[in-house]
Amino acid sequence: MGLLDKLSSLLGLKKKEVHVLCLGLDNSGKTTIINKLKPSHAQTQDIVPTIGFSIEKFKTSSLSFTVFDMSGQGRYRNLWEHYYKEGQAIIFVIDSSDKLRMVVAREELETLLNHPDIKHRRIPILFFANKMDLRDAVTSVKVSQLLCLESIKDKPWHICASDAIKGEGLQEGVDWLQGEACIGRICHILGH
């Protein structure tokens, strides 16, 4: 059972399609994270860099996921905005060992947050400070500071330290998303 399968069973959700955007600069580990989140029988052994974008569709016991794995290469980042309206949650992956490109990641995040299709929505954003296993990695607290995450006031967000290859930190992110989904369901039931 994959992590998202566990999430859906814990939430007690019936078959529902969830659109998740997985964004971040190239070589941050997006595809590896998506692979680890899939049910174990659907995981692949060989991960190759995403060119353009790929759409991963997979089902768990009660949810049907459509994950948009968007290439983080500069020439493809303008494609991201074409999928913002569809997104119900965002996973933003950061290579915590690449301090030189942290400024670029922050600029892309600011562009995302200010886009008209995202700006006025209370869409949850899960940040993975990935590649924590590398010697040059900075802490998730430092990544949060470098990306100025504390300035995000109108959207629920959470940052997790992760090592996508080993799957470390991914469960924490799924647990947070579960909590956000439960809060959202309660608010919906109460009419808020």
Side-chain angles (χ1 to χ4, degrees):
M1 182 182 280
L3 291 175
L4 292 177
D5 204 19
K6 290 178 187 174
L7 173 65
S8 64
S9 65
L10 287 171
L11 293 174
L13 298 172
K14 300 300 176 207
K15 284 287 182 195
K16 179 183 177 184
E17 190 162 347
V18 177
H19 295 277
V20 179
L21 301 175
C22 189
L23 308 172
L25 301 183
D26 54 305
N27 200 34
S28 59
K30 299 178 299 294
T31 304
T32 304
I33 287 174
I34 290 170
N35 190 54
K36 286 288 187 187
L37 293 178
K38 290 194 237 179
S40 55
H41 70 275
Q43 293 178 8
T44 58
Q45 297 302 315
D46 299 320
I47 304 295
V48 296
T50 304
I51 303 298
F53 70 97
S54 69
I55 299 174
E56 293 276 352
K57 290 188 177 219
F58 53 92
K59 293 182 180 181
T60 62
S61 58
S62 59
L63 288 176
S64 174
F65 288 91
T66 302
V67 180
F68 298 91
D69 181 6
M70 311 302 288
S71 175
Q73 296 175 3
R75 66 180 175 263
Y76 295 115
R77 287 185 215 137
N78 62 341
L79 295 174
W80 293 2
E81 67 183 59
H82 298 290
Y83 298 91
Y84 290 168
K85 281 185 182 178
E86 303 292 319
Q88 295 164 307
I90 295 171
I91 296 174
F92 198 94
V93 183
I94 303 102
D95 179 345
S96 59
S97 70
D98 191 352
K99 294 178 217 109
L100 292 175
R101 295 198 317 150
M102 204 69 69
V103 172
V104 178
R106 185 177 73 222
E107 289 170 354
E108 291 299 335
L109 176 61
E110 288 172 4
T111 300
L112 162 76
L113 293 173
N114 288 311
H115 191 278
D117 292 335
I118 298 290
K119 187 172 184 156
H120 301 294
R121 293 173 55 204
R122 191 170 151 66
I123 186 169
I125 305 173
L126 173 60
F127 295 93
F128 280 118
N130 198 31
K131 300 188 180 185
M132 282 295 168
D133 56 313
L134 298 181
R135 187 170 36 107
D136 293 338
V138 297
T139 66
S140 58
V141 172
K142 185 67 175 171
V143 170
S144 178
Q145 292 169 345
L146 291 169
L147 295 180
C148 303
L149 298 185
E150 67 281 352
S151 67
I152 302 173
K153 307 284 188 206
D154 60 343
K155 292 172 185 26
W157 64 269
H158 183 69
I159 187 165
C160 298
S162 65
D163 175 351
I165 292 172
K166 294 179 185 171
E168 294 173 359
L170 302 183
Q171 183 65 52
E172 178 189 337
V174 169
D175 290 346
W176 178 80
L177 282 175
Q178 172 191 341
E180 283 303 305
C182 287
I183 291 168
R185 289 179 71 212
I186 291 168
C187 289
H188 179 71
I189 290 167
L190 297 174
H192 294 122

